[in-house]
Amino acid sequence: MSSSSGKKERLYKVLVVGELGAGKTSIIKRYVHQFFSQHYRATIGVDFALKVLRWDPDTVVRLQLWDIAGQERFGSMTRVYYKEAVGAFVVFDVTRSATLEAVPKWKADLDAKVALPDGRPIPTVLLANKSDQPKEGIAANREKMNEFCQQQGFSAWFETSAKDNINIDESANFLVSKILEMDKWSQEPLAPDPDKVELTANGKHKGAAPSNCAC
C-alpha cells in the first residue's frame, strides 16, 4: 500500500494466542488504548483491535491484532482465524506453570496452520505475562527460558506486565521489525488490506531489542 503523500503504508495481521486467563486481552488493551483493568470477560471466539504505528518518516504500519480465545486451540475455526497472519504472540501467565506447558501446543498449532508465502513459519514472540507477580517453574529462570524459546522456535521472548506496562511496546516493536524484515524481500505486502473497522491509536517506534533473548 502507498498513500497519496508518498508514504508507505503496511497492514499486517498479527495473532495473539495462549491459554485462557493468560492476559491476552489485557496486553492488547494496554498496547492499543494504554488502558488496564483487572476485570475482563473471557474472549469468545475472536476479537479485533487495530494499532497504527508511525514506524519511520516514510512508513506507517497498521497492526490488525486478532485476540484468539484460549479455548479455540481445540476448535476447528483456528485455521480460518490464522489465515494470512504474518506474525504472532503466544502469551502465558508466569504465575501458572500450566499455561507455559501449553505453549508448545499453541506454537505447533500455529506452525501447522499458517506460514509465510515462502513456507517459513511466521515470526512468533513468546510473552511471559504478569511478570509483576511471583513466577512459577522455569519462568523464574532466564537461562531455562532462553533454552525453551530456542527449542520451540520463537523469534524472542519478553517478560511483560499489562498492569505495569512492562515491555508491551518493546515486544511489539520487535515483532514488527521481524515482519518488516520478511516483507522487504517480498514484492507485495505480506498481508492484504482487508476492509476492517479501524480502532485507531498512535504509537512510536522505540527501536527496542528483546529484554531477554533473540532466539
Side-chain angles (χ1 to χ4, degrees):
M1 294 180 287
S2 296
S3 68
S4 58
S5 64
K7 289 187 176 182
K8 292 180 291 183
E9 294 191 7
R10 294 288 185 262
L11 185 140
Y12 298 123
K13 178 178 176 179
V14 172
L15 306 172
V16 185
V17 302
E19 292 296 281
L20 186 69
K24 301 180 296 295
T25 301
S26 295
I27 286 171
I28 291 172
K29 294 290 187 184
R30 170 64 76 180
Y31 181 51
V32 175
H33 303 294
Q34 293 300 309
F35 174 79
F36 176 80
S37 171
Q38 296 279 9
H39 308 289
Y40 287 117
R41 293 181 180 178
T43 301
I44 305 299
V46 63
D47 201 359
F48 309 90
L50 189 112
K51 174 77 170 183
V52 179
L53 296 167
R54 271 67 182 183
W55 187 256
D56 61 36
D58 299 318
T59 309
V60 174
V61 173
R62 299 174 185 271
L63 291 184
Q64 189 184 79
L65 299 160
W66 285 51
D67 182 359
I68 311 295
Q71 65 271 25
E72 284 297 328
R73 178 166 53 83
F74 305 102
S76 59
M77 288 297 293
T78 51
R79 192 176 298 276
V80 175
Y81 296 154
Y82 293 176
K83 186 179 180 182
E84 295 180 339
V86 296
F89 292 109
V90 179
V91 183
F92 76 96
D93 177 350
V94 300
T95 71
R96 294 188 292 140
S97 294
T99 63
L100 177 58
E101 292 167 5
V103 163
K105 296 177 182 178
W106 281 104
K107 183 64 165 65
D109 194 51
L110 288 169
D111 291 346
K113 295 177 179 176
V114 66
L116 296 174
D118 62 6
R120 287 179 294 169
I122 61 174
T124 305
V125 172
L126 179 64
L127 301 184
N129 195 39
K130 305 186 185 180
S131 64
D132 56 287
Q133 301 180 34
K135 303 175 180 66
E136 275 191 6
I138 70 168
N141 188 313
R142 291 199 174 199
E143 288 188 7
K144 289 184 178 180
M145 282 299 301
N146 287 342
E147 292 175 6
F148 179 83
C149 169
Q150 292 174 337
Q151 290 169 357
Q152 299 301 322
F154 286 97
S155 301
W157 75 281
F158 289 80
E159 290 185 337
T160 59
S161 169
K163 179 181 178 182
D164 292 346
N165 198 18
I166 297 171
N167 283 334
I168 303 298
D169 288 346
E170 289 81 357
S171 57
N173 285 337
F174 177 86
L175 182 60
V176 171
S177 70
K178 286 292 183 183
I179 293 170
L180 286 168
E181 187 178 314
M182 301 286 187
D183 198 8
K184 72 180 181 180
W185 301 110
S186 304
Q187 293 183 353
E188 298 180 358
L190 287 170
D193 182 13
D195 183 14
K196 298 292 182 183
V197 175
E198 295 187 1
L199 305 176
T200 304
N202 293 326
K204 295 181 180 179
H205 174 214
K206 296 182 179 178
S211 58
N212 299 294
C213 73
C215 304

